[in-house]
Amino acid sequence: MKNIMNAPFVEEMRKTTANMYRLGWDERNGGNISYMLDEVEVGEYLDLNNIIRTIPLGFDATAITGKIFIVTGTGKYFKNVDGDPETNLGIVRIADDGRTAELLWGYKDGGKFTSEFPAHLMSHMARLSVDPENRVVMHCHPTHTLAMNYVHELDEKKFTHTLWEMCTECIVVFPDGVGVLPWMLCGTNSIGEATAEKMKEFRLVVWGMHGIYSAGKTMDETFGLIETVEKAAQIYMLTAHLPRINTIKDEEMVELAEFFGVNYRKDFLNL
Ligand code: 2HA
Ligand code: ZN
C-alpha cells in the first residue's frame, strides 16, 4: 500500500486550501471543498474494506452510493489543512443505504465532514446529471465578491452582466453566467437543495451576502472560476463609485464569445 500523504489528491487539497487561505477567501473555518475520487486510485493508498466509523448524512444521497470523496472537516480551518491533513480532511464513501458516510481516512480527532456537505453532495448530483465529468465542488468567502453583494442588485442577469463587463476574459471563462441565491440560512438541506437546483444551470452560484459555490471537472477549473469572478468583482469595487467612462460593450462580448466558440447566456446580454 502506498503512503496516502503522497497521494496527488491529498496534495491538491493541501495546496488549494493553503492558496485560498492566503487569498483571504477562507477566514477561520470559512469555506469547504469536496472532491470525488477514483475508487481504483484510492485503493492504492487505503484498504477500502476498512471502515473507521460511519457518520449519518442527514439526507438521501442514493444517486451517488459507493462514490468516494475527500472533504474538508467541519469547524476546521483552511489555514491548518496543509500542516495536518489527517485531522482537517477526511475521505468518505457514500454507503449503500444512501444515508450514511463511511469514513475511510482522516478526521483523526473524531471530527466529521463540513456542515455544508449536504449542499456539496446535492451539487455534485446536480452537476453530474448535466456533466458526468464533474468532480469538484468548492465554497468560500471571496472578499470583493462578497463586498459587491452589498452594493449590487442580487439579480442573476444583472450580476453576471456586470461581472462580464469588468474583465475581457469573463464571458469566455463563465459563459454560463452566475446563479444567485438570496441570503439563506447556511448548513441546512434547504440551502443545499436551492444550490443544487441552480447548479443544473450554472457552475457558479452566489450565496447572497455569504459567499460563492463553484463546480468543475478539476481543482484548477473550479478554483479558476471563483478566481475570475473575484477579479471582476474587485475591478467593480474599485470603480463602482467613480464615473464610468468606458466599458466592454455587449457587441464586443458577442465578438469574444463567437471567437472563442463558447455557448453563452444570450439572454444575459442587452441586445
Ligand atoms: O464551513 O463557510 O458556509 C464554513 C462555511 C459555512
Ligand atoms: Zn460559508
Side-chain angles (χ1 to χ4, degrees), residues 192-231:
E193 284 154 14
T195 309
E197 198 49 43
K198 293 286 179 199
M199 282 278 180
K200 290 180 187 160
E201 205 180 331
F202 302 102
R203 289 172 299 157
L204 285 156
V205 180
V206 163
W207 277 10
M209 289 155 287
H210 178 142
I212 195 164
Y213 262 75
S214 78
K217 297 176 184 31
T218 63
M219 198 69 84
D220 268 353
E221 178 193 353
T222 315
F223 175 85
L225 284 168
I226 297 179
E227 190 180 27
T228 308
V229 166
E230 175 61 358
K231 179 63 178 274

Side-chain angles (χ1 to χ4, degrees), residues 29-32 114-116 139 141 186 207 210:
N29 63 320
N32 24 74
T114 167
S115 59
E116 304 298 357
H139 165 65
H141 308 155
C186 53
W207 277 10
H210 178 142

Side-chain angles (χ1 to χ4, degrees), residues 214-267:
S214 78
K217 297 176 184 31
T218 63
M219 198 69 84
D220 268 353
E221 178 193 353
T222 315
F223 175 85
L225 284 168
I226 297 179
E227 190 180 27
T228 308
V229 166
E230 175 61 358
K231 179 63 178 274
Q234 182 173 13
I235 307 292
Y236 177 76
M237 292 309 297
L238 285 169
T239 56
H241 56 297
L242 301 170
R244 180 85 70 88
I245 311 291
N246 301 303
T247 197
I248 302 172
K249 300 182 187 71
D250 283 26
E251 292 77 10
E252 291 166 337
M253 292 190 217
V254 172
E255 241 185 281
L256 274 163
E258 286 177 355
F259 183 75
F260 288 98
V262 294
N263 189 15
Y264 65 104
R265 282 291 295 251
K266 296 182 180 59
D267 57 324

